[in-house]
Amino acid sequence: MKLSIWTLVGALVGAVSFAPASAAQPSRSLPDFTELYEQQGATVVSVDVTQTVRRSQLPDLSEDDPFYEFFRRFGQIPRGRERPRDREQQSVGSGFILSSDGYILTNAHVVDDAGEVMVKLSDKREFRAKVIGVDKRTDVAVLKIDATGLPKVTIGDPEKLKVGEWVAAIGKPFGLENTITAGIVSAKGRDLPSEILVPYIQTDVPINPGNSGGPLFNMRGEVVGINSLIFSRTGTYMGLAFAVPIDVAMNAVKQLQDKGRVTRGRIGVQIQEVNKETADAFGLAKTGGALVNSVEKGGPADKAGVESGDIIVKADGRTVNTSSELPRIITQVKPGTRIPVQVWRKGATKDLTITVAELKEDEAPKVARKSTPSKEKAKPNRMGLVLFDLTDDQKKELEIKNGVLIEDISGSVRGNIQAGDVILAVINKGATIDARSADQVNALIAKLDKGAAVTFLLRRGEAQFYSSVKVGNGGAD
């Protein structure tokens, strides 16, 4: 097991949805989970996995090799030159029954590289399971056992989940079957480094190795998530657990059952968050949406008329409150589907229609060589930026028509700006102005009021993005 700050150990917490506990009634007794356990305990299974692990092998040295005698003396080369044998490794996890005919849901990482998967029911019956399909992006795996008449879970609605509600997990922590633990929902829609497509539900339910793949129940006995991750410095519970919302998981389940794999939509844009400064610079009334850094040439968004600098505020009929919500919305759309998209452009909304394509492995981006700074030293502008014009060759190399190089920064500019970045455009009060020369950009900045929000469209290596700052935050004002 790999142990790190974000550790895939036993189940981490799952999507949540429970009956709200009223903070206005402090005299109310603590929840009783006995009925939940009695009714739902039989729907939870143990998942025992056997994996074949190949032992590390030393180089296959000839007896004539000068290093052969060295390794032999230290016992690293066995007599008879036998090949090291593979060994079997056992691991445990949890799962729950989706249907009475034997379909079971667990985590993808529980059955990863499994040679054999055994499922044990609460009545002690054991079955060899077949892995129907695995989706590593959502950490979901579907198993099938040859059984009928099994008790099954009831699927809940994570959208109705409220922070502070009680939830419970049943699983096999440290191999201890049918263990129930409880806590509250700590947060919803968490973005984790492990996967941006999953809006994790955070809980403080005690989760440990072996809980992975088990269900997270609300107080009505409905499954609202799959315990999948914990935040830990030790590999064991430290108060932060995360679950995959059950609606996200079930979307993957249906596709795995139908065709053995999961397809996702894409529209061909690179996006970033819209903060308060960015919203002010683009003339947006409130913070929200996804700012389009760049548009894939010939991609779905490009064909529909989406432009760099647009802020996508709605997609497929849903409001985009944060940039992380957009890929979650789009990936749930079946490739080939036409969806409405609303963008904020130059102070007004514009409605477009995009035909969603299928998300595939990303191609390696084209990397342009860094431009060479000018030897002539210029003075910093009022924001502390030392700007130089790019040569025609440098523009050609970067495949841009206009741009100004940030050679140096004096002072502390608080935005995401570095020496070596190329300014492509300046945005203020909803107006976008291409950066054609250092003098032009310096003059634009000089005219801005102190404290005004300004956004730069920047190029850093192969990446293109926006950075918003306030005038006077870094220069000699």
Side-chain angles (χ1 to χ4, degrees), residues 395-422:
K395 293 176 184 177
K396 183 177 181 181
E397 190 175 23
L398 292 169
E399 297 182 349
I400 58 177
K401 293 182 179 179
N402 301 291
V404 175
L405 174 68
I406 301 176
E407 185 181 78
D408 195 10
I409 298 177
S410 66
S412 57
V413 178
R414 296 178 186 175
N416 181 15
I417 301 176
Q418 300 177 5
D421 290 349
V422 174

Side-chain angles (χ1 to χ4, degrees), residues 103-394:
Y103 280 99
I104 292 168
L105 187 58
T106 187
N107 279 147
H109 76 262
V110 170
V111 297
D112 192 27
D113 297 325
E116 181 183 70
V117 179
M118 298 296 296
V119 168
K120 182 186 289 187
L121 307 184
S122 61
D123 61 11
K124 306 305 179 183
R125 287 186 293 166
E126 293 189 51
F127 298 86
R128 189 185 305 275
K130 178 182 178 182
V131 179
I132 300 300
V134 170
D135 180 40
K136 294 185 178 181
R137 295 297 299 268
T138 54
D139 199 17
V140 167
V142 178
L143 311 179
K144 179 69 169 66
I145 61 174
D146 188 11
T148 57
L150 300 177
K152 63 179 182 177
V153 298
T154 299
I155 303 299
D157 183 2
E159 291 294 327
K160 296 179 180 179
L161 172 68
K162 293 184 179 180
V163 175
E165 292 184 3
W166 285 94
V167 285
I170 301 179
K172 191 179 181 180
F174 298 111
L176 302 173
E177 300 173 6
N178 290 92
T179 296
I180 184 170
T181 53
I184 64 169
V185 176
S186 303
K188 294 177 60 179
R190 286 296 193 200
D191 298 328
L192 301 184
S194 57
E195 181 50 65
I196 64 170
L197 297 184
V198 178
Y200 287 98
I201 299 168
Q202 178 185 335
T203 73
D204 67 354
V205 178
I207 296 297
N208 282 293
N211 276 117
S212 287
L216 184 70
F217 291 103
N218 62 22
M219 291 300 291
R220 292 182 293 277
E222 301 166 335
V223 175
V224 290
I226 308 174
N227 297 316
S228 182
L229 297 167
I230 60 172
F231 178 91
S232 177
R233 297 181 186 275
T234 64
T236 56
Y237 175 72
M238 291 185 68
L240 296 172
F242 301 87
V244 178
I246 195 62
D247 55 346
V248 173
M250 291 306 295
N251 179 66
V253 167
K254 186 177 186 305
Q255 295 192 60
L256 291 174
Q257 288 177 323
D258 292 343
K259 53 191 176 185
R261 70 184 187 95
V262 177
T263 57
R264 295 182 170 87
R266 63 181 293 272
I267 59 174
V269 293
Q270 290 186 353
I271 58 173
Q272 71 179 72
E273 194 68 34
V274 177
N275 57 27
K276 182 63 168 61
E277 288 76 16
T278 304
D280 290 345
F282 279 83
L284 199 58
K286 63 179 182 177
T287 302
L291 175 58
V292 178
N293 290 340
S294 61
V295 182
E296 175 190 320
K297 188 175 181 179
D302 183 37
K303 293 178 180 178
V306 177
E307 300 176 359
S308 174
D310 285 349
I311 297 177
I312 299 177
V313 293
K314 286 186 179 181
D316 197 24
R318 297 169 59 182
T319 299
V320 180
N321 296 302
T322 64
S323 61
S324 61
E325 289 184 6
L326 181 63
R328 294 171 187 166
I329 294 172
I330 299 302
T331 54
Q332 296 295 313
V333 177
K334 182 179 179 180
T337 304
R338 288 169 56 85
I339 63 169
V341 172
Q342 187 177 86
V343 302
W344 176 262
R345 181 187 299 170
K346 297 179 180 179
T349 57
K350 185 176 181 63
D351 294 318
L352 305 170
T353 301
I354 299 178
T355 301
V356 177
E358 183 175 347
L359 178 65
K360 297 180 180 179
E361 291 296 326
D362 294 334
E363 296 180 359
K366 183 176 181 181
V367 181
R369 296 195 304 274
K370 290 185 178 180
S371 52
T372 304
S374 169
K375 294 182 180 179
E376 182 184 354
K377 188 65 177 176
K379 294 181 180 180
N381 59 27
R382 63 181 300 203
M383 294 186 69
L385 305 179
V386 180
L387 304 182
F388 274 96
D389 295 333
L390 293 174
T391 66
D392 290 340
D393 288 341
Q394 289 171 335

